[in-house]
Amino acid sequence: MPKRKDGPAVDPLQQALTVLPGVGPKLAEKLAVRGLVHVQDLWFHLPRQYEDRTALTPIRSLLPGVPAQVEGRVEAVERGFRYRPMLRVAIGDEGHGTLVLRFFHFRAAQVAQFQPGARVRCFGTPRPGQHGLEIVHPSYRVLDPRADDALADRLDPVYPAIEGVGPASLRRLIGLALDRLPDEGVLELLPAGLLEHLHLPSLRNALLTVHRSPADADLQALSAGTHPAQRRLAIEELLAHHLSLRRQRLAQQAHAAPPLRERALSRRLQAALPFELTAAQRRVFEQIRLDLALPRPMLRLVQGDVGSGKTVVAALAAMLAVEGGKQAALMAPTELLAEQHLANLRGWLEPLGIRVAWLAGKVTGRARGRVLEEVASGEAQVVVGTHALMQEGVVFHDLALAIVDEQHRFGVHQRLALRDKGAGGGVGPGAIVPHQLVMTATPIPRTLAMAAYADLDVSAIDELPPGRTPVQTIVLSAERRPELIERIRAACAEGRQAYWVCTLIDDSDEVVAQAAQTTFEGLSSQLPELRVDLVHGRMKAAGKQAAMRAFKAGETDLLVATTVIEVGVDVPNASLMIIENAERLGLAQLHQLRGRVGRGSAASNCVLLYQSPLSALARQRLETMRQTQDGFVIAEKDLELRGPGELLGTRQTGIAGFRVADLARDADLLPSVHEIGERLLAESPDLAGRLVERWVGSAARYAAA
Ligand code: ADP
Ligand code: MG
């Protein structure tokens, strides 16, 4: 280790930030809030964009929306106080053009600086104003006529803000940290051969390039995040995340789980089903069966498009646990969905003499006491419920299989909490834990699944049961809403049912519920001959379920609903869905909603109503919906249009919130990441640990879970 003149041998990668001049306990605390604890953390606090102050743009060449640096002399100054204080400064460059600088907050001293004729250099993004282009709150400097006014020789990095630390101090700190960048030998963790192979620079070079980009650096590439220096950082970050998930996985496999081998009961269930399993269902069940037969915990994700029939596969898996004299639990994110699972499972399993218990938040008092007893004694062989299953006080007799439906709605923590309901309590290597099966209807592109779920085995049910007619999707402007009334009338006259889905941009349940109420009243009076009902998130659970149950039983013709019906609800007789304000929803959500129709044999329609004018992006989304019904194609498109953060949701295993990597943009790096990751784990686990520590830091503590 290199000696430093200010102390004994220190590992430069482990130096605390407080070694930097000016970093006392107070500042250190503010930085720690953002996970910046070591000097190296500042090296990896990367710019989110760049400003080019290395050149001047003539005022007449400015373009709206394009950031630029300009220089000019003050031509006029105007202070106004109409609604709030305002300062307008017009600057011009020798009669070639005028630009207005506009300020809403300013001090008197600032006003005094803008003497007519003074030379001002400023940077900002021009926008069209009342009198030509203007820049609101530019960063600026009044040039001293005698002083040097050389242009910057580097691009200015703009860093993600840190509360309580101004941008200038942050830059200074990062500068100080960079001065302490050690030699490549110390810094570099990736194998040299790999970097050469991918034509990527060393870490040291990459860091210096992104923080101190020379004037001639490719600004466009840097802004787009495609510069080789950024790709170099991205591959390391992706690798660190991959390793973190894989280590989690290995830790998981160090646990033991009860092998489940008997299969008479699952055969009996298959024989009793009113339908044949599809080939995809059979294949996935077979994979699960092989996993469960082993004495280590299964951790498998089943992806299957809406309606592909995941529930029955879960029920078959549960039979393997029950037959071994153990228990299975099925947890769903909403009460509505859990209730539907309960009904399905009771329908399938009770004829086989299997006891299915129900546990949700609303099961209280004596009833709850009875259920808890049944669960604890093992009398309940299968337990279906909501989050309530994970609560304290719920003790299983012998939980061997934990099934989580719609897993994207749950966080890693919650998944683990259910696992910890196993007999061994789930701690420490060698502890006995239940097998885990997680299911999702949110298809994830292959590349992404590899990065997002390196800790899970993934199976896909990529086939729909036979006899479904594709849903025809129609995109209509909201002005044509009256025509829809007739369409609903016609469909219901044929004994079909319809959904009318109200969505609003407003996140508040209250506002959305109000809109649904208004729509419900309007439709009820326009369609007096129909039985119209309403379900929304603000209703009591009992009311929601009563409405859903009535719709399922065919006692309601038209159900006005908010997106509470999104997940998993199954009513095969519903063949028409109208979605209001469809332009405001993401592709994944539209796909989930549309999946509520087309579940029976009747030809189904989905009408996407939009408010004009449509943005280009919204138009593309609706067009995608019109063209395809394949969840995987839609997911790929979603990834392209929105990026992976939104696709996966922020609750994923830390997959959102990369510092440099972008799964959509850097997807081509993933195969290398995968390959190098496996090699590192096998050959240099220590190096792997250091990579995880560097990039994932505290999040990696899951590894011990
Ligand atoms: P999802 O994968 O969206 O959770 P479900 O498990 O709710 O789908 O299944 C959708 C519907 O399809 C249910 O009514 C279910 O009983 C039915 N189903 C499942 N598998 C088959 C099959 N192989 N053939 C016919 N219908 C099936
Ligand atoms: Mg489902």
Side-chain angles (χ1 to χ4, degrees):
M1 260 173 230
K3 292 249 184 244
R4 303 202 67 92
K5 42 181 188 310
D6 54 346
V10 242
D11 178 352
L13 301 183
Q14 292 307 324
Q15 264 182 333
L17 272 180
T18 42
V19 302
L20 299 178
V23 182
K26 268 212 174 117
L27 183 52
E29 203 171 297
K30 287 178 189 155
L31 294 166
V33 170
R34 288 291 295 264
L36 305 174
V37 176
H38 295 108
V39 174
Q40 79 160 341
D41 296 330
L42 282 181
W43 306 335
F44 294 99
H45 193 71
L46 300 167
R48 60 179 170 77
Q49 68 185 64
Y50 294 87
E51 292 176 355
D52 184 0
R53 291 191 174 79
T54 66
L56 290 172
T57 303
I59 290 178
R60 65 172 185 286
S61 313
L62 288 174
L63 293 172
V66 179
Q69 175 166 256
V70 292
E71 207 174 285
R73 289 188 188 278
V74 175
E75 290 177 345
V77 179
E78 183 192 316
R79 276 179 83 163
F81 288 95
R82 197 168 308 154
Y83 303 109
R84 48 178 177 163
M86 202 250 289
L87 174 66
R88 287 158 42 102
V89 179
I91 62 169
D93 52 1
E94 270 103 56
H96 287 307
T98 305
L99 172 71
V100 172
L101 312 181
R102 190 195 286 267
F103 300 86
F104 295 108
H105 315 280
F106 50 90
R107 282 165 287 119
Q110 250 174 308
V111 184
Q113 282 183 309
F114 293 115
Q115 292 301 324
R119 214 144 61 93
V120 179
R121 183 180 290 174
C122 67
F123 186 93
T125 305
R127 309 199 181 284
Q130 279 164 306
H131 313 284
L133 289 179
E134 62 178 43
I135 301 183
V136 177
H137 283 241
S139 62
Y140 74 95
R141 188 155 64 95
V142 177
L143 299 178
D144 183 331
R146 287 149 312 185
D148 172 36
D149 53 1
L151 292 166
D153 57 356
R154 286 182 199 151
L155 301 179
D156 286 27
V158 180
Y159 292 104
I162 292 183
E163 195 165 325
V165 186
S169 332
L170 187 57
R171 265 183 214 210
R172 187 186 67 88
L173 287 176
I174 291 174
L176 288 171
L178 288 173
D179 291 342
R180 293 177 171 241
L181 263 186
D183 298 339
E184 251 146 49
V186 178
L187 194 60
E188 192 64 60
L189 297 177
L190 296 190
L194 169 75
L195 297 177
E196 254 166 60
H197 174 68
L198 295 171
H199 304 290
L200 292 174
S202 71
L203 181 58
R204 192 184 148 83
N205 279 339
L207 285 173
L208 289 173
T209 306
V210 298
H211 286 290
R212 297 175 172 168
S213 318
D216 62 353
D218 184 345
L219 178 61
Q220 233 178 345
L222 280 171
S223 306
T226 55
H227 194 282
Q230 290 161 316
R231 304 252 304 162
R232 164 65 181 82
L233 296 169
I235 197 171
E236 188 171 318
E237 182 172 37
L238 289 170
L239 183 59
H241 277 265
H242 178 81
L243 289 169
S244 156
L245 289 172
R246 290 286 291 140
R247 282 177 3 139
Q248 211 165 302
R249 166 68 183 254
L250 291 173
Q252 167 79 13
Q253 282 175 337
H255 294 306
L260 306 171
R261 298 209 172 93
E262 300 304 319
R263 49 186 315 206
L265 208 47
S266 66
R267 287 213 184 92
R268 276 177 61 204
L269 173 55
Q270 269 188 68
L273 287 173
F275 48 74
E276 289 278 310
L277 293 184
T278 62
Q281 285 171 318
R282 273 202 301 274
R283 188 187 66 238
V284 171
F285 176 56
E286 193 55 24
Q287 288 165 343
I288 294 171
R289 207 177 61 73
L290 293 176
D291 286 350
L292 292 179
L294 300 176
R296 54 185 165 77
M298 167 177 83
L299 196 46
R300 185 171 288 279
L301 172 75
V302 173
Q303 282 192 60
D305 215 340
V306 282
S308 62
K310 294 181 288 294
T311 319
V312 72
V313 173
L316 287 166
M319 290 309 89
L320 297 170
V322 170
E323 191 162 19
K326 298 172 187 302
Q327 293 168 297
L330 170 55
M331 180 167 80
T334 65
E335 202 153 296
L336 216 56
L337 190 54
E339 262 236 331
Q340 180 176 293
H341 285 327
L342 179 73
N344 277 330
L345 263 59
R346 283 201 166 143
W348 290 328
L349 306 185
E350 282 180 348
L352 303 178
I354 295 167
R355 174 100 187 98
V356 183
W358 165 243
L359 191 59
K362 67 154 191 251
V363 181
T364 54
R366 298 247 299 274
R368 182 179 161 84
R370 265 201 308 280
V371 176
L372 291 182
E373 252 176 58
E374 272 182 41
V375 175
S377 70
E379 193 186 330
Q381 294 157 291
V382 176
V383 189
V384 179
T386 57
H387 300 75
L389 285 179
M390 299 183 295
Q391 281 162 4
E392 254 177 80
V394 181
V395 179
F396 285 83
H397 175 66
D398 191 358
L399 180 64
L401 174 63
I403 305 166
V404 179
D405 193 20
E406 302 301 343
Q407 94 96 22
H408 62 288
R409 294 272 185 123
F410 293 104
V412 181
H413 282 115
Q414 291 171 310
R415 219 170 74 197
L416 292 175
L418 186 56
R419 183 200 74 187
D420 292 348
K421 293 287 180 190
V427 275
I432 297 189
V433 301
H435 298 280
Q436 287 185 75
L437 177 63
V438 292
M439 307 194 285
T440 181
T442 307
I444 294 173
R446 245 195 70 70
T447 47
L448 209 53
M450 227 158 74
Y453 296 121
D455 62 334
L456 298 173
D457 290 314
V458 180
S459 306
I461 304 186
D462 48 8
E463 176 186 358
L464 292 180
R468 309 249 169 103
T469 8
V471 180
Q472 204 199 339
T473 301
I474 302 142
V475 177
L476 274 190
S477 155
E479 289 144 32
R480 299 184 48 193
R481 190 179 153 135
E483 296 168 28
L484 290 173
I485 305 297
E486 289 318 308
R487 214 181 242 272
I488 296 171
R489 207 189 299 272
C492 294
E494 287 174 19
R496 303 271 149 219
Q497 291 164 279
Y499 292 103
W500 185 291
V501 184
C502 304
T503 71
L504 281 179
I505 198 146
D506 201 299
D507 282 337
S508 129
D509 278 359
E510 186 65 58
V511 176
V512 181
Q514 191 52 51
Q517 178 73 36
T518 309
T519 306
F520 165 70
E521 285 162 14
L523 289 171
S524 301
S525 70
Q526 281 171 293
L527 293 161
E529 75 277 27
L530 297 187
R531 297 162 299 175
V532 187
D533 205 354
L534 173 68
V535 62
H536 61 66
R538 295 290 291 211
M539 283 162 54
K540 291 230 169 71
K544 269 191 280 193
Q545 272 148 38
M548 280 318 297
R549 215 176 283 126
F551 189 62
K552 217 168 163 163
E555 293 157 14
T556 308
D557 302 303
L558 172 63
L559 184 63
V560 178
T562 60
T563 52
V564 293
I565 56 151
E566 176 191 347
V567 185
V569 179
D570 189 35
V571 182
N573 190 47
S575 65
L576 173 61
M577 171 174 282
I578 291 133
I579 305 178
E580 276 190 290
N581 301 314
E583 79 280 7
R584 289 170 177 169
L585 298 184
L587 276 175
Q589 204 177 11
L590 284 171
H591 180 63
Q592 290 288 321
L593 284 170
R594 183 175 59 182
R596 302 303 112 221
V597 290
R599 298 188 145 232
S601 48
S604 296
N605 291 293
C606 178
V607 182
L608 304 177
L609 279 182
Y610 64 86
Q611 297 288 343
S612 314
L614 270 183
S615 74
L617 206 62
R619 186 177 298 278
Q620 272 193 62
R621 278 205 296 264
L622 297 182
E623 187 53 26
T624 303
M625 288 300 294
R626 218 177 50 74
Q627 283 171 355
T628 181
Q629 229 183 303
D630 182 328
F632 284 91
V633 172
I634 290 175
E636 294 281 358
K637 194 73 188 169
D638 210 14
L639 178 63
E640 187 187 313
L641 296 180
R642 290 199 303 169
E646 292 208 44
L647 193 59
L648 291 170
T650 44
R651 282 158 149 195
Q652 279 309 322
T653 49
I655 203 77
F658 283 119
R659 291 186 235 185
V660 258
D662 175 322
L663 286 172
R665 187 187 65 214
D666 303 323
D668 61 313
L669 293 174
L670 290 170
S672 309
V673 164
H674 197 74
E675 196 186 305
I676 311 157
E678 296 311 297
R679 226 174 63 206
L680 277 184
L681 275 178
E683 294 166 14
S684 9
D686 169 56
L687 211 61
R690 288 168 65 197
L691 274 169
V692 172
E693 182 68 27
R694 174 182 281 175
W695 287 93
V696 189
S698 55
R701 279 178 210 131
Y702 279 129

